[in-house]
Amino acid sequence: SQTIHQWPATLVQPVGSPLSLECTVEGTSNPNLYWYRQAAGRGLQLLFYSVGIGQISSEVPQNLSASRPQDRQFILSSKKLLLSDSGFYLCAWSVHSSYNEQFFGPGTRLTVL
Amino acid sequence: TQLLEQSPQFLSIQEGENLTVYCNSSSVFSSLQWYRQEPGEGPVLLVTVVTGGEVKKLKRLTFQFGDARKDSSLHITAAQPGDTGLYLCAGASSGYSTLTFGKGTMLLVSP
């Protein structure tokens, strides 16, 4: 069966500090991978997605970046965090299909102070 | 730009009541999914509907895809506190690797 991991689970960082959030998927190969951000109790904002190694599409211009160094690894980074980067970050994967059913990780709660 | 509008945004009911939440768009989707998210966790896929007019049941939850594949509804019978959460609908379009998500309906079921 497939599993998706995210870490850390929670993170408190000062403004201007760097960020690295990691997501890994097990039990599948060549998945689509996604990073979302969610404000409290609201919908999902797609940040980045990747259909293959080294292929990254950005949906929202901002100070965040994403990388996919391995098939089942997706990393979200920032060189300098802003207060507005606080939120709940979710990683998800899907198989390449027209249904595009997505399976989410447990999320990372980021607080920028 | 495809949009999915969910209504209501927030619903607070007593245990045992029935409810329906809606997901509407002016765009046609090849399939539509419903997710439930509990506080502090990632969304969990409940169902995918594919065919216009399709109805799927998951215990006390009934999902319907509109005939024109532009809208969907979720009906919960005899709601229980365990149904509390954020319900998200998401539409898929052929040839696209991303989903269009609605902003969600927050459901609170009180004992």
Side-chain angles (χ1 to χ4, degrees), chain B residues 3-82:
Chain B
L3 293 174
L4 274 170
E5 295 188 5
Q6 289 191 241
S7 61
Q9 291 186 11
F10 183 77
L11 192 55
S12 181
I13 61 172
Q14 296 294 120
E15 182 176 3
E17 292 184 28
N18 301 331
L19 67 117
T20 302
V21 298
Y22 300 92
C23 177
N24 296 298
S25 177
S26 58
S27 302
V28 176
F29 292 99
S30 58
S31 66
L32 196 137
Q33 299 152 28
W34 285 92
Y35 295 80
R36 179 170 65 209
Q37 182 181 23
E38 299 189 16
E41 299 182 7
V44 175
L45 178 65
L46 297 174
V47 76
T48 299
V49 285
V50 178
T51 306
E54 181 177 6
V55 177
K56 281 192 174 179
K57 292 190 174 184
L58 185 65
K59 296 184 181 178
R60 295 174 293 100
L61 279 60
T62 302
F63 305 85
Q64 183 163 10
F65 202 11
D67 291 342
R69 292 187 288 137
K70 293 182 179 181
D71 54 82
S72 181
S73 63
L74 159 59
H75 182 79
I76 301 179
T77 303
Q80 299 178 0

Side-chain angles (χ1 to χ4, degrees), chain A residues 56-90:
Chain A
I56 308 293
S57 296
S58 174
E59 291 293 302
V60 182
Q62 56 205 335
N63 69 320
L64 299 172
S65 63
S67 63
R68 184 170 178 173
Q70 300 181 43
D71 181 42
R72 291 169 290 174
Q73 184 185 29
F74 206 22
I75 297 172
L76 183 68
S77 304
S78 175
K79 292 182 179 179
K80 289 186 177 181
L81 284 169
L82 306 172
L83 286 174
S84 57
D85 291 324
S86 294
F88 192 48
Y89 287 81
L90 288 158

Side-chain angles (χ1 to χ4, degrees), chain A residues 32 34 36 38 41-44 46 49 51 88 90 98-106, chain B residues 9 30-31 33 35 37 40-43 45 48 50 86 92 97-99 101 103-104 106:
Chain A
N32 291 328
Y34 307 86
Y36 291 91
Q38 185 177 33
R42 298 310 297 154
L44 306 177
L46 179 63
Y49 70 96
V51 299
F88 192 48
L90 288 158
S98 59
Y99 297 163
N100 203 7
E101 295 168 329
Q102 296 186 9
F103 303 92
F104 288 82
Chain B
Q9 291 186 11
S30 58
S31 66
Q33 299 152 28
Y35 295 80
Q37 182 181 23
E41 299 182 7
L45 178 65
T48 299
V50 178
L86 180 69
S97 300
T98 59
L99 294 174
F101 275 90
K103 292 186 177 181
M106 180 65 76

Side-chain angles (χ1 to χ4, degrees), chain A residues 9-23:
Chain A
T10 59
L11 192 59
V12 180
Q13 292 285 94
V15 169
S17 64
L19 173 73
S20 181
L21 302 181
E22 189 165 342
C23 171

